[in-house]
């Protein structure tokens, strides 16, 4: 089944979140420590992803144009409203629900591992990358749920839709993309994803309040620039 990897990753998030609910009774000081630990881990991950950049000019242009598009589309506001809808529907009175949902969704969907794994699932039926990501996301979900609440559990929905869509798209389109171009795109997606994940880490640590969701179109802008550069320059 082509969506095995995506389903496993979403299930891992659900299982991790359920385990995290059991840890929610820990005191606020411990929660704060755990949250900042997650933030530090996310920042280190972002740095590792970001050092692969071959052209920071393209990355900066992509993320800035993506930010303009995201602000115009109000992606952050839309995700926040969806989080509040889920909060009102499933967790009335939980003030952290929307924050947990948005933060976890961004952490789980941004990054090359999910994209590469989804493409592998669609092209070759190899789900190993997404199965590995499922284990990692389960652990992250348990920690996030303990500190940010049950909203993290519902991030499994957009993760399944996002990765599943990439898998199905790859199954039909990837045959038209040269291997060299695909390698370039994956490397640079990792870089721009690293910048976004760095912003998430800073937000988790309460050092900033960056509207990270609005940068997501930057990934599409980056791909478009790289395609044009590959074929015409």
């Amino acid at each position: 089944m082509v969506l095995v990897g995506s389903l496993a990753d979403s299930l891992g998030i659900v299982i991790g979140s359920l385990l995290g609910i059991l840890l929610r009774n820990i005191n606020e000081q411990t929660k704060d420590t755990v949250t900042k630990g997650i933030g530090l881990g996310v920042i280190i991950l972002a740095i590792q992803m970001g050092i692969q950049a071959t052209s920071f000019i393209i990355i900066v242009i992509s993320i800035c144009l993506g930010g303009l598009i995201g602000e115009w589309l109000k992606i952050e506001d839309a995700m926040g409203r969806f989080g509040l809808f889920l909060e009102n529907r499933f967790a009335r009175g939980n003030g952290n629900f929307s924050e947990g949902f948005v933060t976890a969704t961004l952490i789980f969907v941004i990054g090359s591992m999910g994209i590469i794994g989804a493409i592998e699932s669609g092209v070759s039926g190899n789900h190993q990358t997404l199965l590995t990501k499922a284990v990692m996301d389960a652990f992250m979900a348990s920690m996030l749920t303990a500190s940010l609440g049950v909203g993290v559990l519902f991030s499994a929905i957009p993760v399944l839709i996002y990765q599943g869509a990439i898998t199905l798209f790859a199954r039909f389109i990837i045959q038209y993309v040269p291997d060299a171009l695909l390698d370039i795109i994956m490397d640079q997606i990792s870089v721009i994803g690293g910048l976004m994940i760095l912003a998430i880490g800073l937000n988790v640590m309460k050092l900033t309040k960056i509207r990270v969701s609005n940068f997501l179109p930057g990934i599409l802008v980056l791909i478009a620039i790289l395609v044009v550069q590959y074929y015409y320059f």
Side-chain angles (χ1 to χ4, degrees):
M1 180 179 176
V2 70
L3 295 178
V4 165
S6 296
L7 289 169
D9 194 16
S10 297
L11 181 60
I13 293 170
V14 171
I15 293 173
S17 298
L18 293 176
L19 292 175
I21 292 173
L22 301 177
L23 301 175
R24 290 199 63 199
N25 292 327
I26 57 179
N27 60 56
E28 292 300 320
Q29 181 175 335
T30 302
K31 285 183 182 180
D32 182 68
T33 300
V34 170
T35 300
K36 286 184 168 57
I38 292 173
L40 289 171
V42 169
I43 288 172
I44 293 298
L45 174 62
I47 293 173
Q48 288 178 335
M49 294 171 64
I51 60 176
Q52 303 177 54
T54 56
S55 175
F56 275 111
I57 294 177
I58 292 178
I59 297 299
V60 171
I61 291 173
S62 298
I63 202 165
C64 289
L65 288 178
L68 288 173
I69 295 171
E71 287 292 339
W72 179 62
L73 295 175
K74 300 186 183 301
I75 296 175
E76 181 90 4
D77 295 337
M79 290 188 69
R81 286 195 299 271
F82 184 50
L84 289 174
F85 165 77
L86 293 175
E87 178 182 334
N88 292 330
R89 183 70 174 81
F90 299 103
R92 292 182 181 277
N94 186 342
N96 288 334
F97 188 100
S98 182
E99 180 186 359
F101 169 75
V102 173
T103 298
T105 297
L106 289 172
I107 288 176
F108 296 142
V109 304
I110 294 177
S112 60
M113 191 173 188
I115 296 174
I116 292 172
I119 290 174
E120 287 177 346
S121 291
V123 173
S124 64
N126 179 8
H127 308 296
Q128 190 60 48
T129 299
L130 286 184
L131 293 177
T132 301
K133 183 175 182 287
V135 175
M136 296 171 59
D137 287 353
F139 175 77
M140 181 68 77
S142 65
M143 295 296 99
L144 285 171
T145 302
S147 57
L148 296 178
V150 74
V152 175
L153 186 151
F154 288 86
S155 67
I157 299 172
V159 168
L160 175 60
I161 295 173
Y162 171 79
Q163 291 180 171
I166 292 176
T167 297
L168 295 175
F169 182 77
R171 189 172 181 86
F172 296 101
I173 300 298
I174 205 63
Q175 57 185 319
Y176 303 109
V177 180
D179 291 340
L181 175 58
L182 181 61
D183 290 341
I184 294 171
I185 290 174
M186 289 300 100
D187 286 343
Q188 298 313 298
I189 282 177
S190 181
V191 176
I192 197 170
L195 288 178
M196 295 183 199
I197 289 176
L198 175 61
I200 294 170
L202 295 174
N203 284 350
V204 168
M205 296 184 70
K206 307 296 184 183
L207 297 176
T208 58
K209 186 57 179 176
I210 301 172
R211 296 163 60 83
V212 185
S213 303
N214 288 339
F215 288 121
L216 289 174
I219 296 176
L220 297 179
V221 174
L222 175 65
I223 293 173
I225 292 174
L226 292 175
V227 169
V228 172
Q229 184 183 52
Y230 180 83
Y231 283 108
Y232 299 104
F233 296 97

